[in-house]
Amino acid sequence: MIVSHEHRFIFIKTRKTAGTSIEISLSKECGPKDIITPIAEVDEKIRENLGYREPQNYKINETKLINNLFQRLGFKFKEHYNHSPAKLIRKRIGNSDFNSYFKFCVVRNPWDRVVSLYYWRLNRPNHKLPKSTSLA
C-alpha cells in the first residue's frame, strides 16, 4: 500500500495481482512524507538495488523516544501494511485525504490470479492466507 501525499494518490494492493511490482515502481515517485509499507525481504532488496524509496511512515503514532520505551516493555504500535483494506486506510488517514485522493488498485485475469495463488501456496505449504482473503 502506498499513500502519496505529494501526488495525492492511494495505491490499494490486492492479492496476487502483481501489486508488489507496482509498489516497487511507485516508490520511486514518492516523497519523504508519503506512506510506503514494507514488502517481502527479497522484494525490498530489489527496491533498494534500484535506489527507490524504502518503507517509511508506515508506523502509526511513531515517536522514537516513546516507541523505544514501549517496545522494550513489549508493546507493539499499529502499522499500515501492504494489503491494508480501503476501509482501514480511510480510518487511519482520515476522510478528508481519503476522499480527495485518487485511489486505484490492479485487477488480473481471474485464471491467472488463481494460478498465481496456487504456485504461491505450493511454495509456502505452512503459510495460511488470512480468512478475509478472497479471489472474488
Side-chain angles (χ1 to χ4, degrees):
M1 182 216 39
I2 292 179
V3 177
S4 176
H5 299 293
E6 183 170 315
H7 298 289
R8 302 179 57 76
F9 73 77
I10 300 170
F11 171 64
I12 301 169
K13 184 177 177 184
T14 56
R15 294 189 187 277
K16 309 316 303 163
T17 58
T20 298
S21 298
I22 295 166
E23 258 185 312
I24 290 170
S25 296
L26 288 173
S27 64
K28 175 184 179 186
E29 305 303 324
C30 289
K33 294 183 180 179
D34 295 343
I35 299 168
I36 303 172
T37 57
I39 50 182
E41 189 175 328
V42 65
D43 299 316
E44 285 297 351
K45 197 71 173 159
I46 292 168
R47 184 158 44 189
E48 179 184 340
N49 289 339
L50 289 169
Y52 297 173
R53 285 195 182 271
E54 297 177 359
Q56 62 182 25
N57 306 320
Y58 63 92
K59 292 186 179 181
I60 299 168
N61 296 329
E62 184 177 340
T63 304
K64 288 184 180 177
L65 179 64
I66 294 172
N67 194 15
N68 287 339
L69 174 65
F70 279 104
Q71 281 182 345
R72 288 181 182 171
L73 293 173
F75 293 98
K76 289 184 90 176
F77 282 92
K78 291 182 182 178
E79 297 180 354
H80 295 285
Y81 56 97
N82 62 349
H83 291 289
S84 295
K87 185 176 183 178
L88 183 59
I89 297 168
R90 175 193 297 270
K91 180 180 175 183
R92 290 181 171 176
I93 70 167
N95 283 331
S96 178
D97 285 345
F98 188 87
N99 291 339
S100 65
Y101 287 13
F102 177 75
K103 294 160 284 301
F104 66 101
C105 67
V106 176
V107 293
R108 187 180 208 171
N109 171 308
W111 174 252
D112 290 336
R113 191 172 182 200
V114 169
V115 170
S116 177
L117 179 62
Y118 170 79
Y119 282 107
W120 185 86
R121 285 185 173 170
L122 187 67
N123 292 319
R124 295 167 183 82
N126 296 324
H127 187 84
K128 300 233 188 291
L129 289 173
K131 289 182 181 180
S132 64
T133 297
S134 169
L135 291 176

